């Protein structure tokens, strides 16, 4: 993005400061001037954030070592999420690996074949991170790929205000200018611009908007999540005696669940509710048909799920920016590709959330809590049932990710496995599962206890 003299970013919150730090770092050796307009409604941010491991990609993009952030932004490591059930053992959903493949056959396929043979399996014993959580232990990841501890992958909890302050300091040091003038609208009818309270248009070569309430021209809106209206029902705080390595999720009744997010000595309990009605006035905005104007940020989606946090959507956008915007020069097509990929990412999060919540309610013996699935979520469910896979993000690109283990751990039903798995004899499958569990249990005592 080295062809612009002026870039305007509109927003007042985590989304705006993340994109500021990102753009300022990417363009630090150019003559591009970046201005952040904060004279808008502040972005609502929770007391605690718990991003997925993608946050490490953001740290790399702004060229900051995560060790440098641990103290300054009060970062605290998490290994995943614990799903709690009244009459069953918890399932610890970690961000790292479960087991190891046999050649080209991925481990989740081996576990599914093992389960089809009616052998009992505890997924928490097939991951050193999951076993460590249950034992109150934590080991920093190692770069030695021969070690079982290389499968650790941490997310990070942090105090939003502390992280914001770090991003502000970095952005200002890199030359970002901040305007506090109240903003009334943004547009592109005579080039991209931000309109201030004095009715003076501040023109720019590129405009990034993190406030969906600021309409751009006459472009339409549509909801991508109308069939999944989730809302925060209540919030409470409590002392957290032990620094938890996971968040906790528990179904309460046919429509509600609680998510406990902890950080150091504080825990926040959010009670969410699924409501069988239209999602109302909170929409995802289409990007305008302009070549150099993007909508951006977590407020673009009405997702209030304990399974995903706002920062994940920011990181998806940042990753797409790196892919599609090295140097936009072909008018609308680059923006169109960006928005197509972003929409696909958001729709995938919606579908996985629907499937996961249904599985969570089912495993909690709440029989009348099925959430209606979109057609694409139904297709993913069908494909997972037949092959133990589903399409993720881009076209028909298949991959084993943390979503597969989430569905397996919550009891998602499947009927078949990949054809290649059927050629592995039963004895080999059984021995492989046994070796993985033995390795986890052998290495568990070597993991330090949490302080």
């Amino acid at each position: 993005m080295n062809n612009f003299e002026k870039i305007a970013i509109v927003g007042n919150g985590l989304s705006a400061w993340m994109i500021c730090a990102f753009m300022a770092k990417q363009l630090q050796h150019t003559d591009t001037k970046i201005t952040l307009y904060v004279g808008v409604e502040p972005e609502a941010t929770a007391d605690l954030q718990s991003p997925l491991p993608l946050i490490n990609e953001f740290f790399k993009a702004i060229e900051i070592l995560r060790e440098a952030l641990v103290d300054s932004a009060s970062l605290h490591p998490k290994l995943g999420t614990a799903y709690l059930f009244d009459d069953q053992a918890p399932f610890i959903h970690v961000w790292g690996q479960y087991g190891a493949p046999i050649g080209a056959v991925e481990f989740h396929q081996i576990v599914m074949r093992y389960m089809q043979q009616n052998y009992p399996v505890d997924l928490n014993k097939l991951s050193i991170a999951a076993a460590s959580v249950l034992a109150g232990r934590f080991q920093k990841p190692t770069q030695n790929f021969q070690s079982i501890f290389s499968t650790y992958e941490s997310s990070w909890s942090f105090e939003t205000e502390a992280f914001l302050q770090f991003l502000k300091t970095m952005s200002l040091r890199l030359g970002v200018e901040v305007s506090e003038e109240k903003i009334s609208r943004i547009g592109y009818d005579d080039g991209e611009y931000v309109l201030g309270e004095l009715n003076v248009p501040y023109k720019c070569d590129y405009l990034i908007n993190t406030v969906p309430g600021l309409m751009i021209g006459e472009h339409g809106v549509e909801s991508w999540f109308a069939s999944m209206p989730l809302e925060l029902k209540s919030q409470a705080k409590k002392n957290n005696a032990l620094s938890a390595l996971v968040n906790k999720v528990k179904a309460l009744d046919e429509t509600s669940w609680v998510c406990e997010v902890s950080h150091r000595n504080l825990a926040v309990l959010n009670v969410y509710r699924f409501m069988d009605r239209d999602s109302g006035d909170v929409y995802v905005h289409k990007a305008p048909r302009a070549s150099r104007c993007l909508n951006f940020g977590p407020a673009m989606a009405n997702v209030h799920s304990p399974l995903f946090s706002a920062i994940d959507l920011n990181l998806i956008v940042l990753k797409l920016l790196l892919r599609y915007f090295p140097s936009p020069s072909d008018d609308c097509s680059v923006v169109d590709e960006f928005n197509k990929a972003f929409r696909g990412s958001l729709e995938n999060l919606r579908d996985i959330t629907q499937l996961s919540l249904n599985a969570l309610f089912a495993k909690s013996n709440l029989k009348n809590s099925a959430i209606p699935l979109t057609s694409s979520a139904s297709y993913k469910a069908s494909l997972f049932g037949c092959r133990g896979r589903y399409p993720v993000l881009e076209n028909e690109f298949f991959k084993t990710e943390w979503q597969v283990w989430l569905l397996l751990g919550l009891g998602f039903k499947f009927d078949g496995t990949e054809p290649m798995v059927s050629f592995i004899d039963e004895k080999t499958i059984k021995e492989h599962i046994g070796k993985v569990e033995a390795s986890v249990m052998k290495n568990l005592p070597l993991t330090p206890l949490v302080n």
Side-chain angles (χ1 to χ4, degrees):
M1 300 186 64
N2 54 6
N3 297 331
F4 306 119
E5 293 183 7
K6 297 180 180 179
I7 292 179
I9 301 171
V10 182
N12 185 7
L14 189 59
S15 301
W17 284 105
M18 281 185 70
I19 190 63
C20 258
F22 174 83
M23 298 295 287
K25 193 65 178 180
Q26 296 293 315
L27 300 170
Q28 63 177 324
H29 299 304
T30 71
D31 295 328
T32 302
K33 176 183 176 181
I34 300 175
T35 303
L36 175 65
Y37 295 89
V38 297
V40 293
E41 288 295 320
E43 177 185 310
T45 54
D47 296 278
L48 305 169
Q49 298 281 338
S50 185
L52 299 179
L54 280 171
I55 189 69
N56 293 326
E57 294 190 15
F58 176 62
F59 294 160
K60 291 179 183 177
I62 63 176
E63 298 180 6
I64 294 294
L65 296 176
R66 62 185 182 187
E67 289 77 12
L69 291 170
V70 170
D71 292 327
S72 61
S74 301
L75 296 187
H76 178 67
K78 289 285 185 69
L79 295 179
T81 300
Y83 292 87
L84 310 178
F85 311 99
D86 289 331
D87 56 348
Q88 303 178 50
F91 163 57
I92 310 298
H93 178 226
V94 297
W95 310 132
Q97 289 177 237
Y98 288 81
I102 297 179
V105 179
E106 294 158 317
F107 188 63
H108 83 275
Q109 291 282 330
I110 299 169
V111 171
M112 289 167 62
R113 169 86 183 278
Y114 188 74
M115 295 168 69
Q116 288 177 342
Q117 294 167 350
N118 295 320
Y119 290 117
V121 59
D122 183 353
L123 297 184
N124 293 332
K125 293 182 179 179
L126 301 179
S127 161
I128 184 64
S132 296
V133 168
L134 291 172
R137 296 173 177 269
F138 176 75
Q139 168 77 44
K140 289 186 177 180
T142 176
Q143 298 297 318
N144 178 12
F145 295 106
Q146 300 300 316
S147 169
I148 192 171
F149 295 115
S150 68
T151 63
Y152 262 86
E153 182 114 34
S154 298
S155 64
W156 292 97
S157 283
F158 53 84
E159 297 169 356
T160 306
E161 287 303 317
F163 190 50
L164 268 175
Q165 187 56 51
F166 177 89
L167 295 174
K168 289 179 182 179
T169 301
M170 177 181 176
S171 300
L172 295 175
R173 188 176 67 246
L174 290 171
V176 172
E177 296 186 2
V178 179
S179 170
E180 297 183 355
E181 181 179 347
K182 184 175 177 59
I183 301 303
S184 59
R185 75 185 298 267
I186 53 181
Y188 65 96
D189 50 354
D190 185 23
E192 285 72 39
Y193 66 88
V194 178
L195 193 64
E197 59 186 334
L198 301 177
N199 208 35
V200 176
Y202 301 104
K203 293 191 176 182
C204 57
D205 300 302
Y206 203 85
L207 175 61
I208 299 177
N209 173 35
T210 72
V211 186
L214 289 175
M215 300 293 290
I216 306 177
E218 298 299 326
H219 71 283
V221 297
E222 65 178 33
S223 173
W224 295 345
F225 299 90
S227 61
M228 191 186 66
L230 307 172
E231 69 173 11
L232 182 63
K233 184 179 179 182
S234 64
Q235 185 177 84
K237 298 180 181 180
K238 71 174 186 179
N239 291 330
N240 181 37
L242 183 64
S243 184
L245 295 173
V246 290
N247 295 333
K248 300 174 184 177
V249 175
K250 180 180 177 62
L252 297 180
D253 52 43
E254 280 77 5
T255 60
S256 304
W257 64 95
V258 62
C259 177
E260 178 180 323
V261 183
S262 56
H263 172 83
R264 300 186 188 272
N265 297 321
L266 175 68
V268 175
L269 279 71
N270 295 318
V271 178
Y272 296 88
R273 177 171 56 187
F274 167 73
M275 301 189 70
D276 190 14
R277 59 172 174 77
D278 186 77
S279 56
D281 297 327
V282 183
Y283 292 105
V284 176
H285 287 245
K286 289 181 179 177
R289 296 192 63 81
S291 59
R292 295 178 176 179
C293 194
L294 287 178
N295 284 320
F296 180 93
M300 292 176 67
N302 58 335
V303 178
H304 302 289
S305 164
L307 305 177
F308 306 102
S309 64
I311 196 169
D312 301 321
L313 302 181
N314 285 336
L315 292 166
I316 287 174
V317 177
L318 288 169
K319 191 172 184 179
L320 292 173
L321 268 176
L322 281 174
R323 181 190 308 172
Y324 289 108
F325 283 83
S327 180
S329 59
D330 53 352
D331 298 325
C332 293
S333 63
V334 175
V335 174
D336 290 343
E337 286 298 315
F338 174 92
N339 289 315
K340 180 180 178 182
F342 186 37
R343 175 169 178 160
S345 300
L346 291 173
E347 289 180 340
N348 181 68
L349 292 185
R350 174 202 62 198
D351 294 342
I352 299 304
T353 302
Q354 290 180 348
L355 295 172
S356 301
L357 290 176
N358 279 345
L360 174 64
F361 287 138
K363 196 163 185 176
S364 300
N365 296 317
L366 303 173
K367 303 301 182 182
N368 301 317
S369 55
I371 294 175
L373 300 179
T374 63
S375 59
S376 56
S378 297
Y379 173 67
K380 287 182 173 70
S382 175
L383 194 61
F384 186 88
C386 295
R387 301 178 57 194
R389 297 174 181 267
Y390 51 78
V392 177
L393 299 185
E394 298 176 348
N395 301 321
E396 294 294 323
F397 176 68
F398 299 100
K399 60 182 178 179
T400 303
E401 281 287 357
W402 54 268
Q403 297 103 321
V404 173
W405 292 104
L406 174 58
L407 296 183
L408 282 177
L410 293 179
F412 201 81
K413 303 301 181 182
F414 58 93
D415 301 314
T417 56
E418 288 290 312
M420 187 182 297
V421 185
S422 62
F423 291 102
I424 305 176
D425 62 86
E426 182 176 330
K427 180 181 178 182
T428 301
I429 293 283
K430 188 175 182 180
E431 287 178 349
H432 189 73
I433 297 291
K435 288 179 180 178
V436 170
E437 184 173 329
S439 179
V440 168
M441 294 298 107
K442 177 182 177 181
N443 284 276
L444 184 60
L446 303 178
T447 308
L449 290 168
V450 175
N451 295 326

